């Protein structure tokens, strides 16, 4: 009988409770035990884990890598999925391997290229992947010059940090004066150019932003599984247009994602995002980690987390083709139980419904790539409804 697999997720996103569910409900029927650490005692990933510990605060990246190696040795970790301080951890891959732990993470070179968005855009452009026009700015004068150039071309300017995850720090520039209109309803992403310029001139340190045109929907996030041989085993696009979500296998999205994953060593799970600039897709961002929405591929009959763990253990799952594409869906919030604040604590019973590894296709029919549909049965916090 195959031995259990011990997996550790460090300080990860709340959505990865679904990642953990899929590991347990794997199609190989392999026993999986999950260790989780986090700085927030109320993180749902701690409640979903079999064992959990609080993470130490204030460690440098190098000190955190030492802490991580110690965790792997003490806990007998087979596969470590690092999010926090990924760059420092992958630099010590050989030491983790010597301790019996496989890192489910890309090469150090890939992490270095894609942790900085300006470097990522230059790298992508060098291999023929389309990128949006962009300016790296650190001062108020550079910001104004970039905004004026975009506006002269009929574009709406926006900016975001050159390094960062998700939409943190993203803002759209407006020249409309601040008024009571901006205080009604919920806060939005628009910010007045004069206020930003004033803040920059008062700042004691320069910022590091990318200024670029506002890109249009659809947004397509391509989830890739790539082996250490630089060969992609799985690539599926998740589409987003307003509230409506769906899936695509169209090569206009998948081909550039494969090019980046294979060309830059984006081993194991990565997420490569595109949006529209005019009539063509351009690169938005590259995440060298599993996406928070990766579990949504279960609607296509795919268990990507388990395939990645198999690959990390040297058990090549081969090329994975989705048996069908799930119907369009939307995402809604749902309750999830938490642990008591006190840690560490061992999991004593399964208290949450696990995410199915392979759902049944609606009406028994596989949908053609890109074809629209409405409504589908969905697990956990993924629910289906008209957008």
């Amino acid at each position: 009988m195959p031995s259990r697999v011990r997996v550790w997720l460090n300080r990860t996103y709340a959505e990865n409770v679904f990642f953990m569910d899929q590991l347990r409900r794997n199609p190989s029927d392999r026993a999986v035990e999950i260790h989780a650490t986090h700085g927030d005692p109320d993180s749902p990933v701690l409640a979903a884990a079999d064992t959990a510990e609080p993470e130490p605060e204030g460690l440098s990246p190098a000190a955190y890598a030492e802490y991580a190696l110690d965790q792997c040795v003490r806990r007998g970790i087979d596969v470590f999925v690092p999010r926090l301080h990924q760059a420092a951890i992958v630099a010590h891959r050989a030491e983790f391997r010597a301790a019996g732990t496989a890192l489910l993470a890309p090469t150090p070179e890939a992490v270095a290229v894609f942790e900085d968005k300006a470097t990522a855009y230059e790298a992508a452009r060098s291999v023929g992947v389309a990128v949006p026009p962009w300016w790296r700015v650190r001062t108020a004068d550079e910001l104004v010059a970039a905004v004026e150039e975009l506006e002269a071309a009929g574009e709406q300017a926006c900016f975001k940090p050159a390094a960062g995850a998700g939409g943190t720090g993203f803002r759209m520039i407006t020249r409309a004066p601040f008024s009571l209109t901006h205080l009604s309803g919920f806060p939005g992403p628009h910010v007045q150019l004069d206020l930003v310029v004033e803040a920059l001139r008062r700042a004691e340190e320069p910022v590091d932003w990318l200024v670029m045109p506002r890109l249009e929907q659809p947004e397509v996030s391509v989830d890739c599984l790539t082996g250490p041989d630089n060969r992609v085993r799985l690539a599926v696009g998740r589409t987003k247009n307003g509230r409506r979500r769906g899936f695509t296998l169209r090569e206009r999205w998948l081909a550039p994602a494969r090019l980046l994953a294979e060309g830059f060593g984006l081993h194991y799970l990565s997420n490569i995002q595109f949006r529209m600039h005019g009539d063509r897709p351009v690169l938005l961002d590259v995440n060298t980690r599993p996406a928070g929405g990766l579990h949504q591929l279960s609607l296509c009959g795919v268990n990507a987390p388990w395939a990645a763990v198999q690959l990390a253990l040297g058990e090549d799952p081969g090329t994975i083709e989705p048996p069908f594409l799930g119907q369009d869906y939307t995402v809604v919030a749902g309750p999830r139980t938490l642990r008591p604040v006190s840690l560490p604590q061992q999991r004593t019973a399964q208290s949450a419904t696990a995410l199915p590894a392979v759902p049944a296709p609606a009406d028994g029919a596989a949908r053609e790539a890109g074809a629209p549909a409405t409504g589908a049965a969905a697990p956990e916090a993924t629910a289906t409804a008209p957008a």
Side-chain angles (χ1 to χ4, degrees):
M1 183 176 180
S3 62
R4 67 163 193 183
V5 180
R6 184 80 164 148
V7 180
W8 173 28
L9 284 78
N10 74 334
R11 203 174 299 208
T12 192
Y13 305 109
E15 290 86 352
N16 274 336
V17 295
F18 303 124
F19 186 103
M20 299 157 76
D21 289 342
Q22 285 192 287
L23 289 182
R24 292 194 181 97
R25 296 287 297 273
N26 66 80
S28 302
D29 199 26
R30 187 91 171 263
V32 176
E33 291 187 5
I34 299 173
H35 181 56
T37 57
H38 209 285
D40 178 4
D42 289 332
S43 169
V45 299
L46 298 181
D50 297 290
T51 59
E53 289 185 19
E55 287 199 351
E57 299 292 342
L59 294 182
S60 67
Y64 189 93
E66 292 182 10
Y67 155 79
L69 185 59
D70 179 69
Q71 282 277 309
C72 290
V73 172
R74 289 194 302 109
R75 291 286 182 173
I77 301 300
D78 298 302
V79 179
F80 176 23
V81 187
R83 189 201 66 80
L84 183 66
H85 294 314
Q86 187 187 67
I89 289 165
V90 296
H92 296 276
R93 189 183 298 270
E95 295 168 48
F96 283 92
R97 185 185 301 115
T101 300
L103 295 182
L104 205 154
T107 65
E109 294 80 11
V111 174
V113 167
F114 293 109
E115 67 182 352
D116 179 276
K117 291 179 174 60
T119 305
Y121 283 169
E122 289 284 10
R125 185 162 55 188
S126 73
V127 296
V129 174
V131 300
W134 55 274
W135 290 258
R136 191 165 200 159
V137 305
R138 294 184 171 88
T139 66
D141 291 340
E142 290 175 346
L143 172 69
V144 171
V147 170
E148 288 179 345
E149 191 164 347
L150 279 167
E151 290 178 341
E155 307 267 21
Q156 178 174 12
C158 61
F159 66 88
K160 60 184 177 181
T168 303
F170 173 80
R171 297 292 187 274
M172 289 187 286
I173 293 288
T174 177
R175 290 184 182 267
F178 186 78
S179 67
L180 289 178
T181 303
H182 299 99
L183 299 178
S184 62
F186 293 102
H190 290 86
V191 62
Q192 285 68 34
L193 177 61
D194 57 340
L195 297 182
V196 180
V197 169
E198 182 183 353
L200 283 174
R201 297 200 191 284
R202 291 200 315 265
E204 296 180 359
E205 297 180 359
V207 297
D208 189 6
W209 291 342
L210 290 192
V211 175
M212 55 195 296
R214 179 174 181 250
L215 303 176
E216 300 300 327
Q217 293 185 336
E219 180 176 314
V220 178
S221 295
V222 182
D223 294 308
C224 292
L225 174 62
T226 308
D229 58 358
N230 292 331
R231 184 168 61 85
V232 169
R233 307 304 201 272
L234 169 72
V236 181
R238 290 183 288 111
T239 65
K240 178 181 178 182
N241 201 335
R243 293 183 63 183
R244 182 171 293 275
R245 312 291 178 92
F247 304 99
T248 181
L249 295 178
R250 294 182 66 185
E251 283 299 310
R252 74 184 310 204
W253 309 107
L254 270 54
R258 288 196 197 95
L259 185 60
L260 293 171
E262 294 180 343
F264 290 97
L266 287 170
H267 298 167
Y268 304 106
L269 291 168
S270 61
N271 176 258
I272 303 170
Q273 301 171 357
F274 301 90
R275 274 197 173 222
M276 298 298 293
H277 183 231
D279 59 357
R280 68 171 183 165
V282 295
L283 181 67
L284 177 63
D285 205 359
V286 176
N287 296 306
T288 60
R289 52 166 175 78
L294 180 69
H295 65 280
Q296 293 161 15
L297 295 189
S298 66
L299 296 175
C300 300
V302 172
N303 188 326
W306 177 246
V309 167
Q310 285 183 296
L311 198 54
L313 293 173
E315 305 167 5
D316 196 334
T319 301
I320 301 171
E321 297 288 346
F324 52 87
L325 291 185
Q327 292 180 299
D328 285 5
Y329 63 102
T330 191
V331 176
V332 296
R336 192 85 185 192
T337 56
L338 296 178
R339 286 182 180 271
V341 173
S342 58
L343 288 172
Q345 176 181 345
Q346 304 297 316
R347 186 181 182 88
T348 57
Q350 296 284 348
S351 57
T353 302
L355 185 70
V358 181
D363 301 326
R367 181 162 63 85
E368 183 180 350
T374 57
E380 293 288 348
T382 303
T384 58

